[in-house]
Amino acid sequence: MSKKHYGKCALCGKIGTLSFEHIPPECAGNDSLIKAYSFKDLLCDEKDRLPWETEGLHYEQSQNGHGKYSLCEKCNSLTGHLYGKEYQKFDLFALRVVSENKDPNKYCAELKKAYPNRFIKQVLSLFCSIEPEYSAYDELRSFVLDKHAKGLDKDKFRLTMFFVRNEILMYSGNSNLISCDKSKDTIVNQLVAYPLGFLLYLNPSNQKNYEGTDITLFADYDYDHEDDIVFPIDIREVNTGFPLDFRTKDELLKAINTEKVKEPS
Ligand SMILES: [Zn+2]
């Protein structure tokens, strides 16, 4: 008999049996064997290894994709039913963008017949599953649970998106402060699930610059509003567990070698 998981649902907050939420959704190809490494192990390993070298590190294995026991059965099937397919559509679109982007003069790609409201709700649901206890997400939980809900407080939340070139799944939850003035801290949470990446900024009005394409306005669409959407071709590489680190492997190797030269012998 499989083990039961009890806890608080990351969306409705009810305590009970939790079901497995795929992060990203199962229909986006997240349904096969994965090995998960902790950021701490990758960072604190004593061996002189590069950030993408995982041989010999402890890992957790899952046979049917990556995810967490984070949602009650009702919320899991509701989000899957209402929003999952739309995420799959964006995922396939992003795959095309990263694999066919050979023309350096092409700056935009168009996704036809998209449902922006469904997509943003699926993405925000994933962030809630990653940080089920995070009270700053309470507004997002209500927004996700109501299929007709529209609009997000733009002073509190900004969601941006980018395309990801390398095959990686990584998230960093809560509290990466990127302001010098503590009263104006902006927090950024990052979710990278090849070929898509997202940054969720909290208190974004304190931040002048941000990475990625702003898709917060997707929240303003009706659930059934279909549209053609043009995205800038913004393709990043993610090779470390640090949020906002988009250095290529070559750039990282160069930085590491420069540091080694500086080290006293
Ligand atoms: Zn629930």
Side-chain angles (χ1 to χ4, degrees), residues 9-14 71-76 145:
C9 172
L11 286 176
C12 72
K14 285 183 186 147
L71 299 184
C72 71
E73 198 64 59
K74 192 177 165 194
C75 288
N76 204 337
L145 283 174

Side-chain angles (χ1 to χ4, degrees), residues 56-75:
L57 283 180
H58 169 76
Y59 61 85
E60 284 183 20
Q61 189 165 296
S62 169
Q63 297 293 337
N64 65 338
H66 181 266
K68 278 176 85 172
Y69 284 89
S70 58
L71 299 184
C72 71
E73 198 64 59
K74 192 177 165 194
C75 288

